[in-house]
Amino acid sequence: MLRDFLGTMVRLYPVIREKGGDENIQIAFKEMERVCTFDPLVVLRGRHDSIMADHRGKMASYVISIRERLNDVAQSIRR
């Protein structure tokens, strides 16, 4: 839902892409796509010596990247 809203805003107001940096927007949308298509459906919390992967940590890395990119865009727009 956030991805769709931001996509609409970027299309309606091209100044967002101009001021915020096309690279930041592209990376943010790529990371949002990764979050939306993340597989497996069940998210596990593994440890270093665990047989289970740390899916929660992987998802957090995507979300942190999105947050940083969108924060850069917002700061650029405010200038």
Side-chain angles (χ1 to χ4, degrees):
M1 188 181 239
L2 174 64
R3 177 183 58 164
D4 298 333
F5 173 77
L6 290 173
T8 301
M9 295 302 291
V10 168
R11 279 186 224 100
L12 289 175
Y13 303 101
V15 71
I16 294 173
R17 191 175 288 274
E18 293 165 13
K19 283 189 167 186
D22 194 46
E23 182 181 358
N24 279 328
I25 301 233
Q26 286 179 0
I27 291 172
F29 277 103
K30 186 170 79 173
E31 297 295 326
M32 283 187 264
E33 184 64 28
R34 287 181 177 167
V35 168
C36 292
T37 58
F38 189 75
D39 188 24
L41 185 59
V42 177
V43 178
L44 304 171
R45 174 68 172 141
R47 300 187 187 277
H48 295 295
D49 58 352
S50 174
I51 195 167
M52 293 183 264
D54 184 6
H55 300 307
R56 190 173 75 175
K58 183 71 170 173
M59 184 67 72
S61 70
Y62 295 148
V63 173
I64 289 168
S65 174
I66 293 166
R67 184 185 67 192
E68 289 174 357
R69 295 296 176 162
L70 294 178
N71 188 35
D72 288 347
V73 170
Q75 286 179 2
S76 296
I77 291 172
R78 284 188 207 121
R79 294 183 199 157

